[in-house]
Amino acid sequence: SHLSRKIKKKKKKKKMLARLARQLHSRALLNAAPAPSRPTAFVSRVSRGVSRGVSSGDGIEYPPPDADRMGTADICDVHLPDPVDATVPRAVQVCEPNFFKDFGGRRRFHGPISTVKCFENNPHVRAALGEQGNGRVLVVDGGGSKRCALLGDMLAELGAKNGWSGIIINGCCRDSEDIGRMDIGVKTIGTH
């Protein structure tokens, strides 16, 4: 019947898109730099007006993307191929723009990530920042709570002393003026 033909057509289209996605993904993996073995966080306020590489059709040649610059747009251009009409696995994940605000002395930071999940209580954050950071970024899932701060100047100073590159918190911080003078990146959704 008409309905069964429609279902078969949808299944066929879905299989074709899945095959195309696999092909595009394998091509992207062959052409891309090897993916890091651990998740990596890249944070930047810099973006280029034009991305994707050589020519925009207006006769002007633009430099190809360079992920070594650590700009979000360059990293996305190199590691997030965007084929049309296909879904492919991503080597990098990018958070919602302008969601986090800068409070640390570093505006740009990157490194392997370590994660902590806590809600309105920060002993796990203190324990993590008490370890040697070795250039890592601590990502804290604070549940988006704005009712208390998960980071203050003492914990941020502990993180800076122990070699953490930055801290990203889905929650709030306090003592933002003091944290702004420290050599550590701090991004949170606000202050408390």
Side-chain angles (χ1 to χ4, degrees):
S1 81
H2 177 69
L3 186 61
S4 64
R5 277 184 273 152
K6 251 185 162 177
I7 292 172
K8 285 180 184 179
K9 193 174 182 179
K10 278 187 177 183
K11 284 183 180 179
K12 187 176 179 180
K13 186 176 181 180
K14 195 173 183 179
K15 282 182 183 179
M16 182 184 72
L17 288 174
R19 187 177 66 238
L20 177 63
R22 283 192 304 273
Q23 289 172 351
L24 290 172
H25 179 64
S26 64
R27 283 186 203 155
L29 289 178
L30 290 175
N31 295 331
S37 59
R38 296 183 60 174
T40 303
F42 297 97
V43 180
S44 171
R45 298 187 105 201
V46 176
S47 66
R48 292 197 349 245
V50 176
S51 59
R52 285 278 172 248
V54 185
S55 178
S56 65
D58 57 5
I60 300 172
E61 290 196 13
Y62 297 95
D66 180 10
D68 292 333
R69 287 177 19 139
M70 292 300 168
T72 305
D74 291 311
I75 291 167
C76 290
D77 288 347
V78 171
H79 296 285
L80 295 178
D82 283 330
V84 178
D85 296 332
T87 303
V88 297
R90 304 294 190 184
V92 174
Q93 293 181 346
V94 178
C95 65
E96 180 180 332
N98 302 318
F99 182 72
F100 293 101
K101 296 168 185 63
D102 289 304
F103 293 102
R106 287 187 197 170
R107 295 292 188 235
R108 295 176 63 173
F109 54 92
H110 64 92
I113 64 170
S114 292
T115 58
V116 169
K117 185 171 185 170
C118 59
F119 184 73
E120 297 183 355
N121 199 358
N122 70 357
H124 294 301
V125 176
R126 179 182 303 278
L129 293 173
E131 299 173 2
Q132 284 301 310
N134 301 321
R136 289 181 292 165
V137 175
L138 180 63
V139 178
V140 181
D141 179 2
S145 174
K146 294 183 178 181
R147 295 189 301 191
C148 71
L150 294 175
L151 181 79
D153 61 343
M154 294 189 327
L155 290 183
E157 185 176 15
L158 179 65
K161 284 181 182 175
N162 286 332
W164 288 85
S165 177
I167 306 163
I168 301 172
I169 302 177
N170 184 16
C172 292
C173 70
R174 65 182 202 175
D175 308 318
S176 60
E177 193 172 308
D178 295 328
I179 292 172
R181 291 190 290 267
M182 296 179 191
D183 186 28
I184 189 167
V186 175
K187 291 186 179 285
T188 70
I189 61 174
T191 58
H192 182 271

